[in-house]
Amino acid sequence: MNLILLGPPGAGKGTQAKRMSAEWGLAHVSTGDILRDAAKKGTPLGLKAKPLMDLGQLVPDEVVNGIIEEWLKGPDAQKGFVLDGFPRTLPQAEALEKALSTAGMKLDAVLSFDVPEGTLVERISGRRSCPKCGSVYHVVEHPPARSGFCDKDGEALIQRDDDTAEKVKERNRVYEQKTAPLKAFYGEKGLLKAVAGVGTPEGIFAEIRRVLGKA
Ligand code: AMP
């Protein structure tokens, strides 16, 4: 099964992608994670992406398209995938279509997460993550056992550089302008499925199962 997750920052794409990957054995591909990792390591890709990410703006299409095109040629793509944070623009969606058709693959569904703005702000402002293993927490909804430290490896949790109120506003603006039009693009292809992204992570996962007919 090959899936795309669409939704504004804080919609829960990453959390649900991890669950879907664990439950169904799908590869979880997050372009945001790939770019943050490259930035941390200071690779040429990371050095190019970091200033844009810090402004809440998108990395150029050809850069992210290249990452996904390469990944699709690798062995993990064969087990099925959930794309989290890609595509984010129409040219990215078109590049993906081409790359999939070259690889003889197709999309099964595009899940679009609908979440009220107040919930998005709450989720993002309380989000903390482990720089070592990538585990994600929320200071109120999903706190670690020891405040400020990862349950899995004891590393000090951090707030993402782009999770501040001002940057979230810009990321939302970019989402509405560049990414939201993808709903119509995939809607016309009969692939779009709306997911009510409110409530507990378990409840939202049940809703995903339901819309995918895997209840
Ligand atoms: P995310 O973790 O998905 O919220 O992504 C964090 C940041 O990485 C975004 O605000 C962008 O700067 C960059 N990014 C991630 N995915 C893409 C993409 N598909 N196209 C362009 N920029 C991206």
Side-chain angles (χ1 to χ4, degrees):
M1 189 165 51
N2 300 325
L3 304 169
I4 287 176
L5 306 188
L6 281 184
K13 301 184 297 294
T15 302
Q16 294 302 328
K18 282 184 186 135
R19 253 166 213 263
M20 294 158 89
S21 161
E23 193 90 7
W24 299 325
L26 303 174
H28 171 199
V29 189
S30 158
T31 40
D33 284 349
I34 293 170
L35 294 170
R36 270 186 294 279
D37 189 50
K40 206 167 113 188
K41 291 183 177 140
T43 66
L45 168 67
L47 292 176
K48 189 164 183 179
K50 176 89 168 107
L52 293 161
M53 295 170 82
D54 283 349
L55 290 171
Q57 286 169 12
L58 296 183
V59 172
D61 288 335
E62 59 276 15
V63 173
V64 279
N65 288 347
I67 295 174
I68 294 296
E69 282 158 7
E70 273 312 302
W71 186 84
L72 282 173
K73 291 181 196 154
D76 274 1
Q78 299 309 319
K79 57 185 183 185
F81 56 77
V82 46
L83 292 183
D84 159 15
F86 182 93
R88 258 175 155 101
T89 64
L90 279 171
Q92 290 179 22
E94 282 157 3
L96 177 64
E97 295 245 295
K98 235 190 219 161
L100 285 173
S101 117
T102 305
M105 297 160 91
K106 66 171 187 54
L107 291 173
D108 294 291
V110 176
L111 303 180
S112 168
F113 289 64
D114 296 324
V115 185
E117 206 180 316
T119 309
L120 295 175
V121 174
E122 261 168 45
R123 281 191 189 154
I124 288 203
S125 56
R127 175 156 73 181
R128 301 290 182 273
S129 56
C130 174
K132 198 166 165 191
C133 73
S135 294
V136 180
Y137 299 88
H138 187 279
V139 290
V140 179
E141 304 297 335
H142 174 44
R146 182 173 158 230
S147 178
F149 295 90
C150 182
D151 288 346
K152 291 190 185 138
D153 51 32
E155 194 78 8
L157 300 178
I158 55 164
Q159 183 169 30
R160 266 171 55 169
D161 289 343
D162 59 354
D163 271 355
T164 59
E166 196 186 315
K167 287 173 189 172
V168 168
K169 221 165 130 191
E170 175 63 6
R171 286 161 65 204
N172 270 324
R173 193 191 63 76
V174 169
Y175 175 80
E176 287 305 329
Q177 190 191 20
K178 304 216 163 130
T179 311
L182 295 184
K183 290 193 238 176
F185 178 84
Y186 288 118
E188 278 162 24
K189 296 178 189 298
L191 290 170
L192 194 75
K193 296 187 190 292
V195 172
V198 283
T200 61
E202 291 73 25
I204 298 168
F205 188 61
E207 164 86 354
I208 290 174
R209 275 187 189 284
R210 194 184 62 73
V211 302
L212 290 177
K214 291 172 82 79

